[in-house]
């Protein structure tokens, strides 16, 4: 069984009520329940933090034993050299995901410190971006 983890960064705990025109109206728990029952042959964990260092700790913790990390570092994508370095330091492949098409938004969202060391990048498909990332590991 593939061991996967979705790591979500700041403000993604507000999915469902945060700017629903951009991020949709489903909560992440609702979405995750659906995904888990759709892919019973994968172990799909979820971790969310609003704190940069906690995200780095989690990437390090799972990064030498899990089969895949699906990482939406949210705003830290565009600012965090520390998260970028963590992705570079580990062995587990990381697929970077974004709910929105960050290239269609403000210029500051066009830069990513995760992308250079990601196995691949999926963005702009709403919550389905996560599902496509999961499929890429299966
Ligand atoms: C996001 C895009 C980021 O620019 C933003 O800061 C987020 C969410 C996305 O999933 O579309 O918080 O990562």
């Amino acid at each position: 069984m593939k061991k996967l983890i979705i790591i979500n960064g700041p403000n993604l705990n507000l999915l469902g009520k945060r700017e629903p025109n951009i991020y949709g109206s489903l909560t992440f728990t609702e979405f995750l329940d659906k995904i888990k029952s759709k892919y019973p042959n994968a172990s799909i964990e979820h971790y969310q933090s609003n704190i940069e260092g906690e995200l780095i700790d989690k990437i390090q913790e799972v990064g030498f034993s899990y089969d895949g990390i699906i990482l939406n570092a949210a705003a830290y994508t565009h600012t965090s050299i520390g998260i970028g370095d963590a992705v570079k330091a580990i062995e587990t492949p990381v697929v970077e995901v974004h709910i929105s098409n960050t290239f269609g938004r403000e210029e500051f969202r066009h830069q990513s410190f995760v992308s250079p060391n990601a196995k691949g990048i999926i963005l702009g498909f709403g919550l389905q971006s996560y599902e496509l990332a999961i499929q890429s590991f299966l």
Side-chain angles (χ1 to χ4, degrees):
M1 186 184 265
K2 286 269 167 79
K3 211 168 159 53
L4 308 177
I5 184 167
I6 296 169
I7 300 180
N8 272 335
N11 301 306
L12 292 173
N13 54 311
L14 293 181
L15 282 177
K17 51 184 164 185
R18 171 192 184 195
E19 300 178 90
N21 54 318
I22 298 175
Y23 299 112
S25 49
L26 211 61
T27 69
F28 202 76
T29 315
E30 286 165 343
F31 169 74
L32 197 60
D33 286 349
K34 282 190 194 174
I35 285 296
K36 280 182 174 172
S37 55
K38 193 164 170 186
Y39 300 95
N41 294 328
S43 154
I44 306 169
E45 290 173 35
H46 171 233
Y47 177 81
Q48 191 278 332
S49 176
N50 293 323
I51 300 167
E52 185 175 10
E54 287 186 354
L55 293 164
I56 294 171
D57 283 348
K58 182 53 83 175
I59 291 166
Q60 290 184 6
E61 182 192 316
V62 300
F64 295 89
S65 55
Y66 282 45
D67 297 305
I69 297 172
I70 294 133
L71 175 63
N72 185 350
Y76 288 140
T77 307
H78 318 300
T79 61
S80 177
I81 295 170
I83 290 176
D85 280 354
V87 170
K88 192 172 184 187
I90 59 169
E91 286 168 1
T92 299
V94 173
V95 171
E96 175 181 354
V97 307
H98 298 284
I99 298 165
S100 62
N101 175 359
T102 47
F103 292 101
R105 302 179 64 193
E106 302 94 324
E107 188 108 21
F108 63 84
R109 297 186 204 276
H110 299 185
Q111 154 119 341
S112 167
F113 287 104
V114 174
S115 299
N117 298 298
K119 184 182 178 200
I121 306 159
I122 301 169
L123 54 88
F125 294 95
L127 288 174
Q128 210 199 335
S129 296
Y130 292 94
E131 184 174 358
L132 294 169
I134 287 163
Q135 287 173 354
S136 78
F137 284 116
L138 301 180

